[in-house]
Amino acid sequence: MASARTSFVGFVAPVVLCGIMACTSEVEVVQPLVDSEHAADLLVEAEVLSRPTSVDQNRLLRGWRYLRGDGALRIAPVGAESVIELSNLEPRPRTLILTVADKRRPDGAPIRARIGDRSLGELTVADAMVTIPLPADLDVGRVAVTLEGRGLEGLAVERATVSPSLEPGIVEVTPEGIRQSGWSAVDVVRYLPGGSRFVAELEPPTNADPAQSFSVVVDRELGRPREHRVWPRAGSDDRAATTRVSIPLGDGEGLVRVRLLARGEGRPGRWLDARIVSRQANVASPATPPVPEPPRLVILYVMDALRADHVGHLGPHVELTPVLDRLAADGVSFEQHFAVAPNTPPSTRALFTGLHLLDDRQLPHPGPERLAEVFRAAGYRTVSVTGNPNLGPNLDLGVGFETVELLRVIEDHHPEHPPTVNRSAEILHEAALAWVDGLAPAERGFLYLHTMNPHNPYTPPPEIEARLAPSGPSTIDGRTRTLTAIRDRRLDVQETDVERIGKLYAAGVEYGDRELRRLLGELSSRFDPGDILLVVTSDHGEELFEHGGVVHGYTLYDEMLHIPLIMSWPGRVKPGRVTTPTTTVDLHATLLALLGRPPEAAIGRSLWPTVLGTEPASSEPRLTFAAAPGLDGAVMVRSRDWKLIQAPRGGVKRGQGHGRGRSWDLEYLFDLASDPGERHNRAGLDSLEVAWLRTRLLGWLETQRALQPAAGEAPMDAATREQLEALGYIVE
């Protein structure tokens, strides 16, 4: 056992509690190094590379796909370059070896290899192998090796190894501490105020090997990593003493990586009470004005599949949405608002419950409290008027509403049905107004209105189609069966077809905006302006060939997630623009706060402080998260400048997309500042911000898994299934 004696490295600076005039100048803030928001990236070395479904290290990162043949499972490059990511825990010469299948050898053309901008030379296949010598001076951490050139064509890899590799160490993060032996690394990246310190105690291994050592490496965005040797201490003969460390993390505010590094084979040591200690100004938060008294009528208006860039004040299509633009000018527009899923069921479940759903399960009842249940408890009459069968009365998204009116407006999926004009908004508005007219004078109402515009089919009224999408070189239609045939590669399209489909979608946007004007006119004749809180948003975006695909549900690109959010409440909410990123779960928290209820899951944040101008300033970048249940575990984290997607679904299913829009990468990384269209996958880039996104995504995913509700049981009747098929939701 370790000795009870404790030696010290550094010290904790005293907290300044008193200023010149008062004793409230600073407070000490202590946070665990690893918590529910900040996971640890655990690194060890391995000889054999992981399959492409691994999100750990030593992995075929991007530009690879499975090949099946001769009873064996093989990996082949796809695209212009293929990237392998290795973990490197000790600078030394190593060799990356790709064993090639004999029957698919390339023709001897060279393969270029590089690490970042550093060339590793030109290589060819020799004796069924590609041998890539790695430099001896590689940095510790994740290292991306990029392969490119004609020599990749036809290459089939049966095995990928790194030799020699260090014996994998032990590394575990538990509530009792962090167990670690060499060689291994525990990386945590955090956004910290200046003057922060890393504080912990290291309980050394029992009967430690003389070659073992433990260090803390501090790495900032600007500057070189600095290593602090913790154990054994220089000049100390007491190798059994628990060692306390207090290491400064720099003066400037920003991202800091704390790496716990173990070297040498032997029994594990243990880091105890590892934490970050910061000193922050003890500034009293300004008093938050109360949320305005709830209005008589709350309308949550969802325009299904409406992309943000097709709303005039948010994108280039300035002529499509004059009504939405006027609402935004007179109210509050959240210009960086994002859905948390790329299709209706998980997105709407998040809107109703505040929970991110990681799979396609229905919510149980009783189960997570729905938004409609909260409004009913607050004395509101509740109704859902929808054209989307996912919100039907016999499914989980109908729970909590006194009335669910599912109005079927689309019959165009099957060949025997003639094209149906998608007049969803017009039909739903009529039903919504009939319900509103049924409210007694003293009653309050919560109206959830979910129109199927601009959702497929892209079949707008003829007068709008003739003006915005006239037939010409292309006569392709926007029926659901046409779009799903394109999606599933059963129908080829030309550039003129792509252009026409985009125009048909835009025509649906204009139609929905026009009908919203009529609805608002009818409501204004029934209510005073301050009696209605109107919230207009969408559940997700839409693919329009930006990444090859159409419709929605199978990617986490911005065309799928960036949606509008407009809040209009004349006399209660002042006009404004919000550029801070917000999400669907924030909208859920905002509507709960209107009724004096905090979100139970404490995931979303109420937007009322932002709307009322009382939100305290924060310099830490805000992140948004999303999941795609249809991709079997694909998740996303986004900062202002970077976006990281992990899509590790099993085997041949990994990656994003379906059919025409299929891609095969395990991980996607986009520099949004220089590549807002998300065209160039930079996964493997060595950046502190990227490492921060990875650890935050891992922490978020772990938290969400713990919050997932049990699966509900709501058998789907034949009529509901038929309606879902008609909209392309069910893919056989």
Side-chain angles (χ1 to χ4, degrees):
M1 297 293 294
S3 167
R5 295 186 301 276
T6 302
S7 61
F8 294 87
V9 177
F11 65 98
V12 177
V15 176
V16 179
L17 295 177
C18 294
I20 297 175
M21 300 298 295
C23 294
T24 57
S25 60
E26 287 187 333
V27 294
E28 184 178 88
V29 178
V30 180
Q31 300 172 300
L33 177 67
V34 179
D35 59 20
S36 61
E37 292 187 355
H38 306 84
D41 190 16
L42 309 180
L43 301 180
V44 296
E45 290 194 9
E47 179 183 6
V48 180
L49 270 67
S50 300
R51 291 295 191 187
T53 52
S54 169
V55 296
D56 296 324
Q57 64 277 338
N58 275 26
R59 54 193 184 151
L60 297 155
L61 184 63
R62 61 177 169 90
W64 300 91
R65 59 181 288 182
Y66 278 119
L67 291 176
R68 293 188 181 276
D70 300 331
L73 189 62
R74 296 168 178 165
I75 308 299
V78 58
E81 60 182 35
S82 299
V83 177
I84 297 172
E85 188 175 72
L86 314 173
S87 56
N88 183 62
L89 295 177
E90 189 75 11
R92 68 203 189 282
R94 291 197 292 167
T95 303
L96 172 61
I97 303 171
L98 307 180
T99 304
V100 178
D102 289 340
K103 292 184 179 180
R104 298 185 62 89
R105 287 192 189 183
D107 60 4
I111 300 169
R112 295 184 299 277
R114 58 181 171 85
I115 295 176
D117 295 330
R118 183 175 180 178
S119 174
L120 303 183
E122 289 193 348
L123 315 160
T124 57
V125 178
D127 298 327
M129 289 192 302
V130 179
T131 303
I132 308 170
L134 302 176
D137 58 349
L138 293 178
D139 292 335
V140 171
R142 294 175 179 263
V143 176
V145 180
T146 301
L147 307 178
E148 54 194 2
R150 284 193 58 249
L152 293 178
E153 297 176 8
L155 193 69
V157 177
E158 292 182 330
R159 181 179 171 88
T161 58
V162 183
S163 180
S165 286
L166 299 170
E167 186 69 23
I170 295 173
V171 55
E172 298 175 332
V173 178
T174 69
E176 291 73 34
I178 301 173
R179 294 181 68 238
Q180 187 178 18
S181 65
W183 284 263
S184 64
V186 179
D187 284 1
V188 179
V189 184
R190 303 187 66 132
Y191 191 95
L192 298 173
S196 299
R197 306 181 71 85
F198 168 70
V199 178
E201 292 183 353
L202 176 68
E203 185 180 83
T206 57
N207 302 318
D209 188 277
Q212 283 186 273
S213 68
F214 294 84
S215 298
V216 176
V217 181
V218 178
D219 189 7
R220 300 182 65 88
E221 189 68 48
L222 298 176
R224 296 181 177 179
R226 182 177 178 184
E227 183 169 347
H228 302 261
R229 179 74 170 261
V230 174
W231 184 93
R233 289 187 60 201
S236 172
D237 296 329
D238 191 351
R239 296 173 57 84
T242 297
T243 301
R244 183 181 179 186
V245 298
S246 179
I247 297 172
L249 300 178
D251 296 329
E253 179 182 50
L255 292 172
V256 182
R257 173 162 50 202
V258 177
R259 170 176 288 159
L260 309 181
L261 185 61
R263 297 184 178 93
E265 297 183 41
R267 296 185 178 183
R270 186 165 62 158
W271 298 92
L272 305 173
D273 197 17
R275 59 201 185 276
I276 302 293
V277 179
S278 305
R279 290 182 296 173
Q280 299 180 15
N282 185 20
V283 179
S285 300
T288 301
V291 175
E293 188 71 20
R296 185 182 174 201
L297 184 61
V298 177
I299 302 177
L300 181 51
Y301 190 104
V302 174
M303 302 177 75
D304 203 313
L306 177 59
R307 297 163 50 131
D309 64 1
H310 277 60
V311 177
H313 71 283
L314 299 176
H317 299 274
V318 294
E319 76 286 353
L320 292 180
T321 57
V323 178
L324 289 176
D325 296 339
R326 173 51 58 187
L327 285 173
D330 295 340
V332 179
S333 175
F334 296 83
E335 298 180 355
Q336 292 293 311
H337 186 66
F338 295 91
V340 297
N343 56 319
T344 298
S347 178
T348 309
R349 289 176 185 128
L351 177 60
F352 285 0
T353 68
L355 293 171
H356 291 82
L357 278 299
L358 302 178
D359 58 32
D360 279 324
R361 71 180 68 186
Q362 293 202 44
L363 297 171
H365 183 65
E369 190 175 39
R370 275 65 153 185
L371 200 55
E373 294 177 295
V374 179
F375 272 93
R376 286 186 70 175
Y380 278 78
R381 300 285 305 278
T382 60
V383 65
S384 170
V385 180
T386 177
N388 193 318
N390 284 298
L391 286 86
N394 63 328
L395 300 180
D396 60 324
L397 292 174
V399 171
F401 292 102
E402 296 175 42
T403 304
V404 176
E405 295 198 36
L406 174 60
L407 304 177
R408 184 170 183 168
V409 296
I410 298 163
E411 299 280 359
D412 79 333
H413 183 63
H414 300 291
E416 63 272 16
H417 291 146
T420 303
V421 175
N422 187 349
R423 297 184 181 273
S424 173
E426 182 179 341
I427 296 170
L428 268 59
H429 292 172
E430 182 179 344
L433 288 170
W435 182 84
V436 167
D437 288 340
L439 288 174
E443 288 183 322
R444 297 187 296 176
F446 171 62
L447 167 60
Y448 179 77
L449 187 53
H450 190 121
T451 74
M452 296 302 287
N453 305 106
H455 189 288
N456 58 280
Y458 308 157
T459 52
E463 68 276 11
I464 298 180
E465 179 178 345
R467 181 164 47 82
L468 292 185
S471 59
S474 171
T475 58
I476 199 167
D477 61 50
R479 299 172 67 175
T480 297
R481 65 189 184 96
T482 302
L483 296 172
T484 54
I486 295 170
R487 179 195 64 191
D488 299 341
R489 293 186 181 275
R490 292 182 282 108
L491 177 63
D492 292 331
V493 290
Q494 306 302 316
E495 189 60 37
T496 54
D497 300 324
V498 169
E499 182 178 356
R500 176 165 164 78
I501 287 173
K503 290 179 178 179
L504 288 169
Y505 173 83
V509 174
E510 182 178 283
Y511 163 75
D513 188 80
R514 184 191 75 180
E515 292 305 312
L516 179 58
R517 173 175 56 81
R518 294 179 179 175
L519 174 67
L520 296 179
E522 293 290 339
L523 290 171
S524 68
S525 68
R526 291 165 167 82
F527 297 89
D528 292 332
D531 287 344
I532 301 177
L533 168 60
L534 173 64
V535 179
V536 182
T537 188
S538 182
D539 50 354
H540 54 76
E542 189 82 335
E543 294 185 70
L544 294 173
F545 298 99
E546 289 86 359
H547 294 89
V550 290
V551 295
H552 51 266
Y554 297 98
T555 73
L556 288 166
Y557 299 116
D558 269 11
E559 62 263 21
M560 271 290 76
L561 301 179
H562 189 197
I563 57 175
L565 173 60
I566 301 169
M567 184 182 294
S568 175
W569 195 0
R572 302 293 191 273
V573 171
K574 295 180 180 180
R577 297 289 180 271
V578 177
T579 58
T580 303
T582 58
T583 71
T584 302
V585 293
D586 297 329
L587 177 54
H588 171 85
T590 303
L591 292 170
L592 287 189
L594 179 70
L595 304 176
R597 288 280 303 273
E600 292 184 9
I603 298 173
R605 62 186 184 103
S606 170
L607 300 175
W608 287 113
T610 303
V611 171
L612 300 174
T614 60
E615 186 173 32
S618 174
S619 56
E620 180 170 357
R622 176 160 168 77
L623 304 180
T624 60
F625 300 88
L631 296 181
D632 299 331
V635 289
M636 181 281 299
V637 59
R638 190 187 196 278
S639 67
R640 183 188 66 180
D641 295 328
W642 290 93
K643 182 172 182 179
L644 179 68
I645 301 170
Q646 291 186 338
R649 50 181 173 164
V652 296
K653 294 182 178 181
R654 77 190 183 285
Q656 294 192 89
H658 173 81
R660 193 179 189 280
R662 192 72 168 85
S663 59
W664 300 90
D665 291 339
L666 167 67
E667 188 169 285
Y668 302 77
L669 175 67
F670 301 108
D671 180 351
L672 299 175
S674 63
D675 180 26
E678 301 168 284
R679 304 290 186 177
H680 180 50
N681 185 3
R682 302 187 66 186
L685 178 72
D686 183 20
S687 162
L688 201 56
E689 183 166 357
V690 173
W692 178 56
L693 291 179
R694 181 185 296 113
T695 57
R696 288 296 305 273
L697 184 58
L698 292 172
W700 176 83
L701 188 56
E702 184 176 340
T703 298
Q704 300 313 309
R705 284 171 175 159
L707 293 172
Q708 296 301 290
E713 294 184 7
M716 185 181 299
D717 57 62
T720 300
R721 182 179 181 87
E722 181 183 359
Q723 292 180 68
L724 289 171
E725 287 179 343
L727 291 169
Y729 278 106
I730 295 178
V731 180
E732 298 297 343

